[in-house]
Amino acid sequence: MAPGTASRASAADPVVSRLLQQDTVPWYRKRNLRLLYLLLLPTCIGIEMTSGFDSQMINTVQISDFWQDYFHEPKGALKGIISAAYNLGAICALPFVPMLNDNYGRRWAIFFGSWVMVFGALLQCFSNGAAMYVVARLFLGFGIPFCIIAGSSLMGELAYPKERAIMTSLFNALYFVGALVAAGISFATQSIKSDWAWRIPSLLQAGPSMFQICLIFLIPESPRYLISKDRAEEAYQILVHYHAEGDPDSDFVKAEMAQIETTIKIEIEHSKRSWWEMVSSPGMRRRVIIGSFLGLFTQWSGNTLISYYLNDLLKLIGYTSSDFKNKLNVGLNAWQLVNAVIIALLVRRFPRRVMYLTCTVSLLLCYISWTISMEQFLVKHSAAAAKATIFFIFAYSPCYNIGYNALTYTYLVELFPFAQRAKGITIFQFFGRGAGFFTTFVNPIGLDSIAWKWLITYCCWLAFENVFVWFMFPETYGRTLEELAFLFEDRALAEEATMKVEMQIQHDDRPPWAEKGVRAQNREFL
């Protein structure tokens, strides 16, 4: 049996998945579902625009002579901490994120995190020196994990099962919308002959967060969160309204509701609702190991080198024109957005392990080629090698996006059961932000010290990633979240959940939540 397939045997019998196959109506022909997805775009999917905006803003403003003069041309450790402070702030926030998510719901977590980032953007814009600038970036970083963890969970828990993978994959793809906008704005403000050349992009970083603040309460709360708080009637009404277009007699929604309620009840019965439970069983320990290393992989695969230090990379291969570097940066971000969206729309067609292995193998080959081309330029000053280096920088994007961009939150939402989902994604964020802080801090030091040889460290790490993914990543393709809830656990729990769902579906009497749901079927949920 191939690695990763053994755990599939313990997944619950796909009761709801079988019913789902009978639905042949596409989402765009369902009025309520269309409206839900339209609202999820700015409120949840758009959250990563803030991260994308930040990485490109801090990358592009460094090209500005006014930024360099104002901060006295920071180098080495100071330059590293200016970029890395964003991830350091995120690490500081992580202990508080699951508490807010689990106690107050996904929407309040997004609302709170967005206000923190608005404050950070204002502080960054009006910074009077490097110290205040770093503090502002700490606030920006502190707010983002509240939004990312809540938003990715909310999308996965609200989306119709057929579109769940696409929606959670688009979550990361919109990172490049923010990056492209930031690159364009920063390029345009280069013509301003004052400090506002870098202050304006800093101020506009608050834009995506303002969208979330204004619109987040127009979408419903997670049905799974409501069920966990004994508010099953509200959860049922939401599922009827969006997953059955208002039909309370929908067999699919009755089965979905029964499956969610039964699975969450079993999860909570076997859950201590504490951090200790994340390592108390073999199944949870394996999830934590996978989530932790996935966090490392998303930041230690060489992407931060391009996102934060493209200016330095281009200098190494002889490109010093600010105009050229700005234009290339905008073009690179446009290319990243296009291929990320295309890949996100294709995730339903391929198993998760196939996409991850394709990602890691192609990244390794790309980085080896990139290292060779950069070495050839620095040793032989070959113009062809410089152009080849730019080609590999562009080739890197689809290689990375096919796995670590498109699948990250899709896979995490599928990997962790509801009771541990917020904590699981928090652990992923801790390792990802820690890795991001480390790499953004040491990248300028490594490039200054050993130039092209610094890329060899990434080649070695990427080789390890291939081995880890092959042996450790399970397949989660083609199941609902509840059917994956006991992926690594005793099969008896999966069979118990399946049996109760089957009994609920076949029972003639309506459960309490269905009775109240029928009476409230015309209620407005927005």
Side-chain angles (χ1 to χ4, degrees):
M1 187 176 290
T5 57
S7 59
R8 202 173 163 84
S10 63
D13 183 54
V15 179
V16 176
S17 292
R18 292 201 306 265
L19 291 172
L20 192 64
Q21 299 303 317
Q22 300 172 17
D23 180 12
T24 58
V25 181
W27 67 269
Y28 51 82
R29 292 185 179 175
K30 299 176 179 179
R31 179 181 177 277
N32 295 344
L33 201 56
R34 283 201 312 269
L35 179 60
L36 176 64
Y37 291 164
L38 180 65
L39 289 170
L40 283 174
L41 183 62
T43 55
C44 290
I45 303 178
I47 287 170
E48 273 289 8
M49 287 194 297
T50 305
S51 295
F53 195 106
D54 181 83
S55 69
Q56 278 310 302
M57 187 276 299
I58 200 63
N59 188 10
T60 313
V61 295
Q62 293 180 46
I63 299 172
S64 168
D65 294 332
F66 290 96
W67 188 92
Q68 292 289 345
D69 291 341
Y70 194 86
F71 295 107
H72 308 294
E73 298 186 0
K75 299 183 184 300
L78 177 58
K79 189 174 184 179
I81 196 63
I82 285 174
S83 297
Y86 187 78
N87 284 313
L88 181 60
I91 293 170
C92 294
L94 291 176
F96 309 102
V97 176
M99 178 176 62
L100 190 59
N101 260 276
D102 292 338
N103 292 328
Y104 297 97
R106 316 304 196 200
R107 296 184 300 176
W108 279 106
I110 293 171
F111 187 74
F112 172 77
S114 296
W115 272 118
V116 174
M117 286 189 286
V118 168
F119 175 75
L122 292 172
L123 204 62
Q124 183 176 244
C125 171
F126 298 106
S127 294
N128 59 10
M132 187 173 175
Y133 198 76
V134 170
V135 170
R137 296 188 53 71
L138 286 169
F139 272 102
L140 284 163
F142 189 89
I144 192 65
F146 287 95
C147 298
I148 288 179
I149 293 170
S152 58
S153 299
L154 185 57
M155 274 196 310
E157 293 163 2
L158 272 178
Y160 193 63
K162 276 190 174 182
E163 288 86 43
R164 186 190 72 243
I166 292 178
M167 297 297 288
T168 48
S169 296
L170 285 172
F171 183 79
N172 254 356
L174 262 70
Y175 172 98
F176 298 111
V177 172
L180 181 59
V181 171
I185 290 172
S186 299
F187 175 65
T189 58
Q190 295 297 309
S191 60
I192 299 174
K193 303 304 179 183
S194 71
D195 289 338
W196 286 101
W198 61 267
R199 292 187 188 276
I200 288 175
S202 298
L203 179 63
L204 293 179
Q205 189 167 349
S209 298
M210 289 304 301
F211 276 114
Q212 277 110 52
I213 290 168
C214 294
L215 300 174
I216 187 59
F217 291 106
L218 294 180
I219 62 173
E221 184 55 87
S222 162
R224 290 163 176 85
Y225 167 79
L226 294 173
I227 289 171
S228 73
K229 298 299 181 182
D230 296 322
R231 295 161 62 184
E233 297 83 5
E234 295 175 55
Y236 181 66
Q237 292 164 17
I238 291 170
L239 292 175
V240 166
H241 188 72
Y242 292 109
H243 289 190
E245 294 297 297
D247 178 13
D249 296 317
S250 166
D251 289 335
F252 171 75
V253 166
K254 283 188 267 187
E256 184 183 32
M257 179 68 187
Q259 186 186 63
I260 294 172
E261 189 176 42
T262 301
T263 305
I264 288 178
K265 183 178 179 181
I266 294 173
E267 285 180 34
I268 292 176
E269 285 176 354
H270 292 83
S271 170
K272 298 180 177 63
R273 306 293 280 180
S274 68
W275 283 101
W276 171 248
E277 70 178 332
M278 302 303 291
V279 294
S280 62
S281 68
M284 286 310 303
R285 284 196 292 272
R286 182 172 177 183
R287 287 185 177 95
V288 168
I289 291 171
I290 294 170
S292 301
F293 275 89
L294 184 55
L296 297 178
F297 295 165
T298 58
Q299 298 299 318
W300 278 359
S301 298
N303 49 309
T304 55
L305 200 57
I306 299 173
S307 298
Y308 287 89
Y309 300 107
L310 181 62
N311 182 43
D312 295 339
L313 290 171
L314 293 176
K315 280 184 180 179
L316 280 174
I317 55 175
Y319 293 97
T320 57
S321 167
S322 296
D323 186 63
F324 172 82
K325 287 186 285 189
N326 272 303
K327 288 179 180 178
L328 186 140
N329 189 44
V330 172
L332 178 60
N333 280 284
W335 162 239
Q336 290 172 326
L337 173 61
V338 169
N339 70 67
V341 171
I342 291 173
I343 292 169
L345 295 175
L346 296 175
V347 294
R348 289 196 304 177
R349 297 176 179 269
F350 303 100
R352 312 290 187 241
R353 278 173 52 80
V354 170
M355 293 186 70
Y356 269 123
L357 286 168
T358 301
C359 169
T360 54
V361 170
S362 60
L363 280 176
L364 177 58
L365 295 175
C366 183
Y367 241 91
I368 290 173
S369 303
W370 179 3
T371 304
I372 293 171
S373 67
M374 184 170 281
E375 183 269 344
Q376 286 294 301
F377 173 81
L378 292 174
V379 172
K380 299 181 179 180
H381 302 288
S382 166
K387 293 177 181 178
T389 299
I390 291 179
F391 169 79
F392 290 120
I393 289 174
F394 274 79
Y396 176 91
S397 174
C399 298
Y400 180 89
N401 289 343
I402 197 171
Y404 296 140
N405 184 277
L407 286 183
T408 296
Y409 290 103
T410 300
Y411 200 63
L412 288 167
V413 169
E414 293 174 345
L415 188 65
F416 288 96
F418 171 81
Q420 294 85 25
R421 188 164 295 140
K423 291 186 180 71
I425 300 178
T426 297
I427 290 171
F428 159 80
Q429 280 279 314
F430 175 80
F431 280 87
R433 296 294 174 178
F437 173 79
F438 177 79
T439 55
T440 51
F441 183 77
V442 302
N443 273 333
I445 300 172
L447 288 174
D448 287 345
S449 302
I450 56 177
W452 68 269
K453 295 177 183 177
W454 179 243
L455 274 65
I456 296 175
T457 62
Y458 286 111
C459 294
C460 297
W461 179 259
L462 286 166
F464 167 73
E465 288 183 14
N466 279 271
V467 176
F468 188 93
V469 170
W470 174 260
F471 285 104
M472 290 296 293
F473 276 35
E475 185 57 75
T476 59
Y477 177 73
R479 298 294 181 103
T480 67
L481 298 182
E482 282 63 44
E483 289 162 0
L484 290 165
F486 307 111
L487 189 65
F488 301 128
E489 276 70 33
D490 188 342
R491 182 165 177 79
L493 292 176
E495 290 176 346
E496 179 186 351
T498 301
M499 180 182 66
K500 289 185 177 180
V501 172
E502 293 279 15
M503 290 176 60
Q504 185 68 73
I505 295 171
Q506 296 170 8
H507 203 280
D508 291 335
D509 296 329
R510 290 181 184 270
W513 42 258
E515 286 290 351
K516 294 181 181 180
V518 170
R519 292 195 295 269
Q521 61 180 292
N522 294 320
R523 177 180 174 182
E524 179 63 50
F525 301 109
L526 293 178

